Amino acid sequence: MTSANPADIAGAVSRDHDVALAGLGTAPESVTVPDVWLPDSSTWLLRLQQEASGFKPTKIASVAQSPIVLAMPEPVAKNFGWPEKEMGWAQLLAQFGTESTLQVGIVDPTRDAAGLTSLLAIGAIAGSSQEGKLKKVQALTALSENRSSLREELLQQFPKSNDANDLGNSLQAAPLSEEDVVAFNAQRPAVQLSAIYMQPAPTPLDYPYAVMPQGVDSLKAAASDGLLAQLSSGAFKETLASVGLRAPDGTYGASFQAPVGAPAASPAVKSSGASEGGKAASGISGQVLSQAVGSWVATTLPGRVLAVFDVSGSMSKAVPTAGGATRAQVTQEAAAGGLALFNNKWAVGVWRFSTNLDGTKPYKELVPITPLTAGRQELQESIGKLNPVPDGATGLYDTVLAAYGEVQNGWKAGRSNSVILFTDGENLNPDGLSQDEFLEKLKKAVDPKKPVRLVLIGIGNEVNKAELDKISAVVKGSGVFIAPDPARISDIFLEAIGTRTGAS
């Protein structure tokens, strides 16, 4: 058995399946995929299955658990009334976007399961209203200012003494696992960490034991079964306790150094990993995780994106689940929400397309790709110009090719360079490129040294998914995302940002 960071193994699995997890990338060849993997959370399995349909580990069972807590230096926690008063995510959320000086950090959610499940909790409390979305952006922005790539790095940011200056200038809170707090305090630091059990409780780390899908011979299979039996035995509970972990049923052994306020038993976790329905026993799906990752990526990382919107006549159709608003109106609302999510490290442009919008061209630039530091207001105003063109058809092929070339021509290293295109139909442009001509030109345009991601978002039930899949297949790392119910475009948009290979 060997120890490895789950992010490194996930990168190796991604590499072997020719995919990539958002914010993570692939691992070097020196990192190999094990026969049996025991990551700290089933969220790793779900994220990988969301990207790589061929990744199907077996015999998945949780062998331990560790609740997610808010770690705080004891003096800081006592200022909040701990342990007499409980603290919830709503109270933490209230600290962001105010004059509060509470320094809250996080381990990069794209690389850490505790950080990722904490984002789910924050998003659930913030809600989907405009005010809630703004609060969520404020929270993610604040968290990103004190983010670390590794838990060990984050833990080093906590105060080293009870000196008032040290307490005030050091990290004062971070979502971590109960295990992290137990291990940190076991080193007897000058300032102990309090573990605050936030409500509602996030999904705990559930330590899934998974036999990897590349297959094992009979000898290894017998060994893996034997190891799982040992890890699932009652006697192993005490071993878990000695390293700060609980048994899957939420209880712990006699040697467990329980933090002050720790529950005697946390809710049990069941066999985890993704089922046929794509959800873990916790109810979390790969799509939900991708949406959380998408929020983080858009809010905290730099990028360039050209957003291209279908304004053909069919976009004027009403959406029954959106109170009668048209497809164009719900798309405009999603665009406004998405623009608010992007931080000022992004540059964004807006095009509209139908047929004959600029002479014989089916597309027209509304705003060139512009840094949000200078162009946010103009971009926001351009969304109001995405009204459908009566009797306008869909010049999809020419538009995709032109948009791809536009982003590629201004390609910037160290950034995500993307085209995000929204459409509710299929190519209908007799004066434009044929499918074969278009695909051949797009194939020639692809430059591995200047990768551009092509994100195709289909709106409604009249989209030609097969056509979009053919386009996506030409550009590595691209994807097709379908919103049969246009009212769900916002969720689909976040999912698209939070994945790197697409979904259907």
Side-chain angles (χ1 to χ4, degrees), residues 10 34 44 49 70 116 120 198 224 294 296 325 362 368 375 379 388 411 416 450 480:
W44 289 111
Q49 287 173 303
L70 186 68
L116 180 54
L120 297 180
M198 305 284 279
S224 68
W296 176 260
L379 286 159
W411 189 88
S416 169
K450 294 182 177 181
V480 175

Side-chain angles (χ1 to χ4, degrees), residues 332 335-337 339-340 367 375-384:
Q332 286 171 312
L339 183 61
V367 182
R376 190 178 291 273
Q377 182 63 37
E378 184 183 8
L379 286 159
Q380 196 71 48
E381 292 172 354
S382 74
I383 294 172

Side-chain angles (χ1 to χ4, degrees), residues 452-475:
V452 174
R453 185 166 184 245
L454 186 58
V455 178
L456 304 172
I457 299 180
I459 304 168
N461 56 8
E462 297 175 338
V463 176
N464 186 335
K465 182 179 180 302
E467 180 179 64
L468 298 182
D469 283 338
K470 284 185 179 180
I471 299 172
S472 175
V474 174
V475 183

Side-chain angles (χ1 to χ4, degrees), residues 119-203:
L119 290 193
L120 297 180
I122 290 172
I125 290 298
S128 58
S129 67
Q130 286 301 114
E131 182 182 0
K133 290 177 180 178
L134 176 60
K135 203 69 178 174
K136 181 179 176 181
V137 170
Q138 291 173 337
L140 268 58
T141 300
L143 287 170
S144 70
E145 292 176 359
N146 292 308
R147 71 173 179 262
S148 297
S149 297
L150 299 171
R151 292 183 201 175
E152 293 77 8
E153 293 176 356
L154 188 78
L155 288 165
Q156 288 300 312
Q157 296 182 41
F158 283 114
K160 306 295 192 299
S161 74
N162 282 298
D163 178 79
N165 286 332
D166 193 12
L167 289 171
N169 295 322
S170 300
L171 189 66
Q172 296 169 318
L176 293 166
S177 70
E178 180 185 65
E179 174 199 7
D180 291 325
V181 174
V182 172
F184 184 86
N185 289 341
Q187 300 172 21
R188 301 189 181 281
V191 182
Q192 294 260 309
L193 289 180
S194 301
I196 299 176
Y197 294 79
M198 305 284 279
Q199 297 300 322
T203 302

